[in-house]
Amino acid sequence: MANRIDSLRSFFCDLVEWEWIKPRFDPRRVLSLPLSRRAQLGPNPRIIDDVVWAKLMAAGLTLNTEDITPYGTPAAKAAGWQANYYPIEMLRALVGVWLFGGCRIDEIRRLELDCIIWDEGQDQQTGETYPICLLRVPQNKTSGPFNKPVDPVVGQLIEAWKLVRPSQPDIEDRKTRRRRQHLFTYRGQLIGSSYLNEKIIPALCRKAGIPEQDSRGALTSHRARTTIATQLLNAREPLSLADLQQWLGHKHAASTRHYAAILQRTLAAAYKKADYFARNVRTIEVLIDRESILSGAAADGGQPWKYYDLGDGYCTYDFFAKCPHRLACARCPFYLPKQSHAGQLLAVKEGIEQMLEQLELTDDERQALEGDRDAVATLAARLADTPTPGGPTPKELGTGVAFIPLTTLRDSLPGGSS
């Protein structure tokens, strides 16, 4: 759509410039791309689902000649068909770079013969050494040649291909215009640019028993780069954006952010950890005395029927949710200690039902619940002169700064702890 509008705008601009028509409108303004369409322009990387990607990886690591074309089957050999054009060692190395390298198809085709560099690393905790395989990526459209670590299996597959690789002539690199030895050359020619998409990936899909496309479109070579980048960012110990930018060979960090898609399960876990709902709404356990309700003793307010569990005791004030002392409960007449005779009797009394009631918290109460000691002390001091539901203030009750913390406030889900 953008290309068609651009062509139409250029057409009318040329007509006006050549004076073939009399200008009655400004083509640059009238035929400009709408903002809604302009916002949709740009890269749109599409990742491959983890299950599909795992099946592709398993199929790629066990690739055989019979998986590429039907020419290697016994029936095909009996019919006189020729075997696969490329050696299987070369195809395994090609698939290994595609599955683990995170390279563009042009970078894969232009890899040099000596693109693997071996090194050793040491575990800081155990002191054990482990092999490091570095892949030298050729110059691309955004950066010069660089090295990046890959799985050692890539180096092993490439070394296996180099052992059986016939001597090949130097081929001119299309970027640098220099003649050099390429890794994926056979019979004097580079491997085809569409061979991976048209031959290898369909063969892997057949071997893995999966379709060649998913909900995001066809499975292509470049989608592997997006998938690897996303998995590296969402790993248990993920790469930072700066490290991922260097690993992908991007010149600008904005390009890396297009690939750095956050998986839904990672985003959901982070959202759950943020505990947004519980930050604004908490639940408290409430005991309901059914006997007092059924007998009518609570009808005239002579006997409480609802008890809010404060940890050390119960609050019998019916409008506890609106009480300013609910997080610093002074010992007012509505407070019932658990260690008292009435509190112990309530704990073992039959006909008691338990429920959870939601409380909307103020900013001071949220800070107090989040463990801010200064906020708790400030809240208690501020409530010292605030009348309790029974009438007197905490100072008049002689409690000073002492208060009973609401320790049993729970998260929004039953069974959680504050």
Side-chain angles (χ1 to χ4, degrees):
M1 184 179 294
N3 291 334
R4 292 182 179 180
I5 292 179
D6 290 343
S7 301
L8 190 61
R9 182 172 58 251
S10 300
F11 173 71
F12 277 98
C13 288
D14 291 341
L15 293 182
V16 173
E17 183 179 357
W18 298 339
E19 298 182 355
W20 286 10
I21 62 174
K22 182 178 180 181
R24 297 184 179 180
F25 64 92
D26 186 2
R28 295 179 178 82
R29 181 177 60 85
V30 176
L31 297 177
S32 62
L33 188 65
L35 293 177
S36 59
R37 293 294 180 263
R38 192 178 304 168
Q40 298 178 6
L41 295 177
N44 183 27
R46 300 168 298 162
I47 65 173
I48 302 175
D49 295 335
D50 289 349
V51 177
V52 177
W53 183 246
K55 292 182 179 180
L56 286 174
M57 186 171 294
L61 294 177
T62 58
L63 187 67
N64 295 317
T65 305
E66 293 79 5
D67 301 325
I68 304 299
T69 61
Y71 302 146
T73 60
K77 291 180 180 179
W81 291 358
Q82 296 180 353
N84 186 50
Y85 184 82
Y86 294 113
I88 188 60
E89 293 82 4
M90 174 180 171
L91 299 182
R92 287 173 180 168
L94 177 68
V95 172
V97 175
W98 178 66
L99 288 174
F100 296 94
C103 299
R104 305 177 180 93
I105 182 59
D106 182 67
E107 296 171 349
I108 296 177
R109 296 179 64 239
R110 295 172 45 243
L111 286 175
E112 296 183 7
L113 182 61
D114 298 327
C115 61
I116 292 297
I117 303 174
W118 292 99
D119 199 354
E120 280 191 356
Q122 187 175 11
D123 194 315
Q124 297 180 355
Q125 296 180 353
T126 62
E128 298 180 356
T129 60
Y130 56 90
I132 296 178
C133 180
L134 299 177
L135 178 66
R136 182 166 181 80
V137 182
Q139 178 180 341
N140 53 53
K141 62 180 182 180
T142 58
S143 64
F146 65 97
N147 300 333
K148 67 177 177 180
V150 293
D151 196 276
V153 69
V154 178
Q156 296 170 5
L157 293 174
I158 291 178
E159 295 294 342
W161 160 234
K162 291 172 62 176
L163 290 176
V164 300
R165 177 181 179 270
S167 299
Q168 302 294 325
D170 292 345
I171 299 178
E172 183 182 86
D173 185 272
R174 72 176 193 88
K175 284 284 187 181
T176 62
R177 299 304 178 185
R178 296 180 180 178
R179 301 186 65 85
R180 55 184 178 82
Q181 287 283 314
H182 289 71
L183 177 64
F184 296 116
T185 55
Y186 189 65
R187 296 181 180 178
Q189 293 182 346
L190 280 175
I191 192 170
S193 58
S194 60
Y195 188 80
L196 185 59
N197 285 329
E198 296 181 357
K199 295 291 184 179
I200 299 296
I201 295 180
L204 295 179
C205 292
R206 288 194 303 268
K207 184 177 179 65
I210 58 177
E212 298 180 14
Q213 58 184 5
D214 56 8
S215 59
R216 298 182 180 92
L219 301 181
T220 61
S221 61
H222 198 77
R223 292 187 63 180
R225 178 178 170 88
T226 304
T227 304
I228 296 173
T230 304
Q231 291 186 358
L232 290 177
L233 187 71
N234 292 272
R236 180 173 299 179
E237 296 183 4
L239 270 68
S240 64
L241 279 177
D243 294 337
L244 187 61
Q245 176 186 354
Q246 184 177 359
W247 193 84
L248 292 174
H250 286 158
K251 183 178 181 180
H252 303 288
S255 302
T256 308
R257 283 193 289 269
H258 289 294
Y259 290 86
I262 303 297
L263 296 181
Q264 291 184 357
R265 62 175 180 272
T266 305
L267 185 61
Y271 182 82
K272 183 179 183 300
K273 187 176 181 181
D275 210 5
Y276 169 74
F277 180 79
R279 174 176 171 82
N280 297 277
V281 178
R282 298 276 175 161
T283 56
I284 184 174
E285 186 174 354
V286 184
L287 305 182
I288 306 297
D289 190 352
R290 296 179 67 250
E291 293 183 2
S292 300
I293 299 175
L294 297 177
S295 64
D300 56 354
Q303 182 176 343
W305 61 277
K306 182 185 290 188
Y307 300 85
Y308 293 87
D309 192 347
L310 307 183
D312 295 335
Y314 301 100
C315 180
T316 61
Y317 185 47
D318 294 345
F319 300 97
F320 172 80
K322 297 182 179 179
C323 177
H325 293 273
R326 61 188 181 188
L327 290 187
C329 187
R331 298 185 182 276
C332 69
F334 288 93
Y335 178 73
L336 177 63
K338 283 186 177 182
Q339 64 270 19
S340 65
H341 177 73
Q344 295 175 0
L345 181 63
L346 182 65
V348 298
K349 186 178 181 180
E350 296 182 359
I352 294 293
E353 294 184 356
Q354 297 184 359
M355 61 173 291
L356 295 176
E357 184 172 319
Q358 295 181 357
L359 301 178
E360 296 183 1
L361 305 179
T362 62
D363 294 338
D364 295 337
E365 292 170 341
R366 270 201 307 271
Q367 294 177 3
L369 284 177
E370 291 172 356
D372 191 341
R373 293 187 176 182
D374 295 337
V376 174
T378 303
L379 180 63
R382 182 172 59 83
L383 295 175
D385 296 326
T386 303
T388 63
T393 64
K395 285 185 177 180
E396 295 173 350
L397 291 173
T399 59
V401 296
F403 65 93
I404 299 175
L406 194 54
T407 57
T408 56
L409 272 180
R410 290 177 170 84
D411 295 337
S412 55
L413 296 177
S417 59
S418 60

